[in-house]
Amino acid sequence: MGNIRMAQNEITTELTRKLLAGLAGDRTAYADFLSQLSPILYRLIRRKIPMCDVEDVLQEVLISIHKARHTYDGKRPLMPWVIAIASFRMTDCLRKTYSEMRHIQVDIADYENVLEAVTETPGDNESINEMLVGVGQRERKILSLMHVEGYTASEVGSQLGMKESAVKVAAHRAIKKIREQLKHG
């Protein structure tokens, strides 16, 4: 484990040296910096982003690093600065992906057979309604908006005139009530 840490420190030291040389005008050192940083970023990004978007996000991160290179303080560690930039780009990608997914329209006719099978099961609606008996109307609305319609706690708070933290607490308490009912029911 110590050898891995030492190798990482050597790589980080080398990357820092090349970035600083690049900032001083050495184009070759700067190109080497970006080349050596790319596989590190690739491994980081592929753990968090769908594979189909990894290359695009990698390019966005490299562009952002290039644009923000003047903000790097050579007295501070390099990797937290790099990872912060990468995190912002990954968050942007995920936000866009999930935003697009939220607005996908599906032709209900494609799922006609599935719907028939589900609606033919007697008692499903009754059991869901039974689970919600101990949950207040406001909590039902919160659960519906968050877990059925896919809104965030912040968005639900805006719709219901509540703080985001209050929405989260109400949702948590409602789910806890439902779990207790399932245990004892």
Side-chain angles (χ1 to χ4, degrees), residues 65-80:
I65 287 171
H66 176 72
K67 287 180 177 178
R69 69 188 184 279
H70 68 280
T71 66
Y72 176 65
D73 177 2
K75 296 175 189 149
R76 295 182 165 267
L78 173 68
M79 292 314 289

Side-chain angles (χ1 to χ4, degrees), residues 132-144 160:
L132 293 175
V133 165
V135 179
Q137 190 63 32
R138 183 182 71 171
E139 287 82 6
R140 286 184 192 193
K141 182 72 173 172
I142 290 170
L143 291 177
S144 174
L160 300 179

Side-chain angles (χ1 to χ4, degrees), residues 86-102:
S87 293
F88 285 125
R89 291 305 133 238
M90 288 187 290
T91 301
D92 288 347
C93 174
L94 292 172
R95 206 175 271 137
K96 181 181 176 208
T97 300
Y98 290 114
S99 167
E100 289 170 354
M101 289 173 62
R102 192 167 155 196

Side-chain angles (χ1 to χ4, degrees), residues 29-98:
Y30 185 66
D32 288 346
F33 163 75
L34 292 175
S35 298
Q36 291 177 0
L37 185 62
S38 292
I40 296 167
L41 289 170
Y42 183 88
R43 287 190 299 275
L44 172 73
I45 294 166
R46 78 170 186 215
R47 284 188 260 149
K48 309 243 185 218
I49 301 294
M51 275 309 287
C52 62
D53 293 327
V54 170
E55 288 293 331
D56 291 339
V57 173
L58 175 60
Q59 292 305 313
E60 289 292 324
V61 171
L62 291 172
I63 290 168
S64 294
I65 287 171
H66 176 72
K67 287 180 177 178
R69 69 188 184 279
H70 68 280
T71 66
Y72 176 65
D73 177 2
K75 296 175 189 149
R76 295 182 165 267
L78 173 68
M79 292 314 289
W81 179 78
V82 167
I83 290 170
I85 293 170
S87 293
F88 285 125
R89 291 305 133 238
M90 288 187 290
T91 301
D92 288 347
C93 174
L94 292 172
R95 206 175 271 137
K96 181 181 176 208
T97 300
Y98 290 114

